[in-house]
Amino acid sequence: MSNEIMTELQKSIADFKKAKKVTTHTLQEMKQAGVKISMLTAYDFSMAKIVDDGGIDVILVGDSASNVMAGHETTLPITLDQMIYHASSVVRGINRALVVVDLPFGSYQGNSKEALNSAIKIMKESGAHAVKLEGGREVKDSIERIVSAGVPVMGHLGLTPQSIYKFGTYAVRATDNEEAQRLREDALFVQDSGCFSIVLEKIPAHLSAEVTASLKIPTIGIGAGADVDGQVLVIHDMLGINKEFKPRFLRRYLNLYDQIKIAVEKYSDDVKGMDFPNENEQY
Ligand code: KIV
């Protein structure tokens, strides 16, 4: 990249950082300007406040809450009301970020009317700005119906964790020609149905680069390489709150599990050793 282009890009990044509120329109403009979109999950008020203050563009209230908040093995058990509880807590913590909420398993697969009702319930009761759902051509009618009611929808292709029992594994998807071709077509279905963006999860980098170049709407990758329009990670993973989950795509920015554990041990020792509270810590 030439110095001139680099300076222009830095200027655009600074301009987008100044945006008072990130909207679906802002994300579209970011794709056009070549400015990458940052997205992280959050599930509660305090974390959402920090993430928003850190300048993240999109906060995803992911159904990964089922794993990292509730301790379930899969994302399947979380309910619509539980997602609304998490989403409304997040919304109370933010000023700038766009808040997208996952439609949980079982709340939209039945038919498009059910999907619309679930999306409306999330928007009314949480105050979030958009919903996300998994799937391609099979959810086309649902996307169209939700979008026509005025609710922005984000798609999700590749590894779709709500279908884990169909796949049988969390391995990389679309590595063979047939599945890759289906994904290319599904990405167009999802765009044509009215989605404002698509998450591409755990697919080969060359495929996500190709899909990203073929779409007008921004793609957000997780384990999908660098040539996408933005990146998303689960906050517990990038902060190192989970020790066991170590996929190749994950970059850990902190080792909070150990840091919190050390603080807890120190506090416990201080209480038992009658060091806490001291004279300055009482009335
Ligand atoms: O639920 C979630 O956290 C997600 C991301 C992994 C994209 O869907």
Side-chain angles (χ1 to χ4, degrees):
M1 204 181 278
S2 76
N3 280 352
E4 225 168 84
I5 296 179
M6 198 61 195
T7 314
E8 201 51 43
L9 186 61
Q10 296 295 354
K11 202 173 148 298
S12 301
I13 294 172
D15 286 346
F16 280 112
K17 272 192 182 161
K18 281 186 222 141
K20 276 216 169 82
K21 296 264 176 212
V22 177
T23 65
T24 56
H25 192 67
T26 319
L27 303 187
Q28 189 62 53
E29 287 176 343
M30 288 170 90
K31 175 168 175 123
Q32 272 144 20
V35 171
K36 300 284 184 188
I37 298 162
S38 58
M39 174 159 139
L40 275 176
T41 65
Y43 317 97
D44 68 275
F45 169 81
S46 305
M47 192 65 89
K49 206 165 157 43
I50 301 172
V51 170
D52 187 64
D53 203 19
I56 287 293
D57 301 313
V58 185
I59 295 184
L60 173 66
V61 185
D63 57 0
S64 48
S66 179
N67 310 113
V68 297
M69 299 299 286
H72 293 295
E73 216 167 283
T74 72
T75 57
L76 274 62
I78 201 159
T79 65
L80 190 56
D81 284 332
Q82 287 166 342
M83 288 303 298
I84 290 169
Y85 168 77
H86 288 297
S88 53
S89 309
V90 165
V91 168
R92 285 191 287 274
I94 60 108
N95 281 315
R96 176 181 175 275
L98 181 83
V99 179
V100 181
V101 185
D102 263 332
L103 282 171
F105 177 67
S107 73
Y108 63 96
Q109 287 90 347
N111 56 58
S112 63
K113 176 83 169 52
E114 182 187 41
L116 176 64
N117 288 342
S118 301
I120 288 177
K121 191 169 157 66
I122 286 181
M123 299 299 282
K124 260 188 184 302
E125 296 181 24
S126 74
H129 311 127
V131 298
K132 174 164 87 58
L133 51 76
E134 296 181 5
R137 61 203 77 190
E138 68 280 10
V139 287
K140 191 175 180 295
D141 291 348
S142 297
I143 296 171
E144 281 172 354
R145 197 151 179 180
I146 299 171
V147 172
S148 66
V151 178
V153 180
M154 180 178 269
H156 185 152
L157 295 172
L159 177 65
T160 47
Q162 291 180 10
S163 306
I164 184 57
Y165 291 119
K166 186 173 99 184
F167 297 147
T169 155
Y170 287 104
V172 183
R173 303 302 313 171
T175 50
D176 63 73
N177 286 343
E178 199 184 323
E179 196 180 328
Q181 184 51 28
R182 193 177 164 87
L183 190 140
R184 287 184 193 98
E185 291 166 11
D186 276 344
L188 289 173
F189 271 116
V190 166
Q191 170 173 272
D192 295 345
S193 312
C195 277
F196 68 92
S197 174
I198 308 181
V199 166
L200 297 175
E201 179 163 355
K202 225 172 172 186
I203 60 170
H206 68 85
L207 180 60
S208 51
E210 188 194 324
V211 169
T212 299
S214 75
L215 296 179
K216 293 193 192 79
I217 58 173
T219 57
I220 314 279
I222 173 163
D227 290 329
V228 283
D229 299 308
Q231 298 289 336
V232 57
L233 285 176
V234 169
I235 188 122
H236 288 62
D237 301 339
M238 64 83 79
L239 294 179
I241 297 175
N242 299 328
K243 265 172 106 83
E244 304 81 23
F245 187 62
K246 295 182 204 154
R248 175 171 165 171
F249 68 76
L250 175 63
R251 185 178 294 182
R252 285 224 175 96
Y253 288 82
L254 284 176
N255 182 7
L256 270 193
Y257 186 100
D258 287 338
Q259 288 171 267
I260 294 173
K261 186 168 163 244
I262 289 166
V264 168
E265 284 168 353
K266 178 88 178 75
Y267 165 74
S268 181
D269 288 349
D270 287 352
V271 170
K272 290 181 196 302
M274 289 180 278
D275 181 60
F276 176 79
N278 64 25
E279 271 176 22
N280 298 325
E281 290 162 334
Q282 55 189 294
Y283 301 99

